[in-house]
């Protein structure tokens, strides 16, 4: 998956890592020695700075809602495990048609999933990446 949001997050992580502001990385699927897919990544990203400890999964949609798939639910469960240890855990969603980068905290996602399998823009908060590097 090589998309606009992923490219921007990778630039942010490079900036954090190269300027000794903390440590960030992208998780990858589990593959065997031959490169055969075994299981998906637990979630997409981890970023630790002096002021933030973040784990999140990045999603991009052209619609005004993000429809969640079963693989997304597994990632949300893993994010919730991190949230339960005191780490900020969320879905980072880029609504590309609207040029809006938003976050939906994993606790809110679980509440949403009790009634529907999609996340609306109105369920989310604006995300300002500059908050990470303060």
């Amino acid at each position: 998956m090589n998309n606009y949001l992923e490219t921007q997050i990778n630039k942010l992580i490079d900036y954090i890592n190269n300027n000794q502001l903390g440590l960030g990385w992208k998780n990858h699927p589990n593959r065997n020695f031959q490169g055969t897919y075994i299981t998906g990544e637990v979630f997409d990203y981890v970023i630790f700075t002096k002021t933030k400890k973040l784990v999140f999964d990045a999603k991009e949609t052209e619609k005004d809602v993000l429809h969640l798939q079963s693989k997304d639910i597994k990632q949300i469960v893993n994010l919730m495990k991190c949230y339960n240890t005191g780490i900020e855990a969320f879905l980072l969603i880029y609504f590309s048609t609207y040029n809006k980068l938003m976050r939906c905290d994993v606790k809110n996602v679980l509440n949403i999933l009790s009634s529907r399998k999609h996340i609306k823009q109105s369920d989310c908060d604006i995300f300002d990446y500059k908050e990470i590097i303060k």
Side-chain angles (χ1 to χ4, degrees):
M1 176 169 93
N2 190 7
N3 58 40
Y4 175 78
L5 179 56
E6 184 174 324
T7 301
Q8 297 309 308
I9 295 168
N10 290 338
K11 287 179 185 178
L12 175 62
I13 286 174
D14 286 345
Y15 180 81
I16 290 168
N17 292 344
N18 293 334
N19 290 284
Q20 284 67 46
L21 299 174
L23 180 65
W25 66 87
K26 180 177 186 344
N27 292 319
H28 295 282
N30 184 14
R31 298 183 184 273
N32 69 14
F33 232 170
Q34 291 79 29
T36 305
Y37 174 90
I38 298 171
T39 58
E41 66 272 10
V42 292
F43 47 79
D44 287 338
Y45 293 96
V46 177
I47 297 177
F48 296 140
T49 67
K50 290 179 182 178
T51 60
K52 298 283 185 179
K53 290 175 183 38
L54 310 172
V55 294
F56 58 95
D57 202 77
K59 306 291 184 194
E60 191 168 330
T61 181
E62 293 179 354
K63 300 179 180 179
D64 61 348
V65 299
L66 173 70
H67 294 279
L68 298 172
Q69 302 171 12
S70 57
K71 73 171 186 70
D72 300 327
I73 307 298
K74 291 176 185 175
Q75 292 171 324
I76 291 163
V77 168
N78 289 326
L79 289 168
M80 193 66 193
K81 291 175 186 177
C82 296
Y83 171 82
N84 287 336
T85 67
I87 296 174
E88 285 185 63
F90 55 93
L91 294 182
L92 183 63
I93 307 168
Y94 181 55
F95 295 94
S96 61
T97 302
Y98 304 90
N99 197 28
K100 288 187 178 180
L101 182 60
M102 307 187 85
R103 76 180 261 170
C104 189
D105 291 338
V106 71
K107 187 176 175 184
N108 294 342
V109 174
L110 287 179
N111 290 334
I112 292 165
L113 285 173
S114 66
S115 61
R116 55 186 151 90
K117 297 274 194 241
H118 64 274
I119 298 173
K120 303 174 188 176
Q121 285 186 39
S122 60
D123 297 323
C124 304
D125 296 313
I126 296 291
F127 181 77
D128 181 3
Y129 72 91
K130 293 175 187 170
E131 293 293 317
I132 296 173
I133 56 177
K134 281 187 173 181

